[in-house]
Amino acid sequence: PAWANRDRFVLSAGHGSMLQYSLMHLVGYDSVSMEDIKSFRQWNSRTPGHPENFLTTGVEVTTGPLGQGICNAVGLAAAEAHLAARFNKPDAKVIDHYTYCILGDGCMMEGISNEACSLAGHWGRGK
């Protein structure tokens, strides 16, 4: 999770956090053990009901209100484009990763989500 050019994943639909935790466990993240999965949504657990980036290594961002996750994902994609423009050279692509986001219908009903997605489209953030 400390590699600068890794792909980013944002779970805006926080209630589906068990999907993220179980996949992190299956691919070998040390931050999510089977004991952590067994204590899902328990007080002081490393696997709370909504992923928290300061509790679980491998969680990119903490998403709170509906729509915040997709906005974070757009910001991460914008940052990737800025870094690529700044540091990539014709013979060396130093920054070249993807940003993925899962969001629910509640997120899409928020105005901020539509504005962020419109901005991402205007900036051409799709790969």
Side-chain angles (χ1 to χ4, degrees):
W3 180 38
N5 197 34
R6 69 191 178 282
D7 288 345
R8 304 312 202 268
F9 173 75
V10 178
L11 183 66
S12 190
H15 289 281
S17 59
M18 181 47 78
L19 169 69
Q20 185 172 7
Y21 298 139
S22 60
L23 290 174
M24 288 171 63
H25 173 72
L26 289 173
V27 299
Y29 276 77
D30 293 334
S31 60
V32 183
S33 68
M34 185 54 74
E35 290 305 312
D36 293 325
I37 288 177
K38 289 178 183 177
S39 63
F40 176 60
R41 289 190 177 173
Q42 300 301 312
W43 187 255
N44 287 330
S45 168
R46 288 198 299 181
T47 52
H50 285 260
E52 305 280 351
N53 68 329
F54 55 89
L55 287 178
T56 313
T57 303
V59 173
E60 292 292 336
V61 296
T62 300
T63 60
L66 289 172
Q68 183 177 343
I70 184 64
C71 295
N72 275 298
V74 169
L76 288 170
E80 185 258 340
H82 172 74
L83 290 171
R86 177 78 171 88
F87 296 109
N88 285 357
K89 304 294 181 219
D91 60 337
K93 279 194 159 186
V94 178
I95 304 295
D96 184 28
H97 60 266
Y98 288 85
T99 302
Y100 302 94
C101 183
I102 293 179
L103 63 152
D105 59 338
C107 291
M108 288 305 294
M109 288 191 285
E110 296 296 322
I112 192 79
S113 301
N114 293 303
E115 293 172 19
C117 291
S118 176
L119 190 58
H122 178 72
W123 283 343
R125 291 298 67 135
K127 283 191 178 181

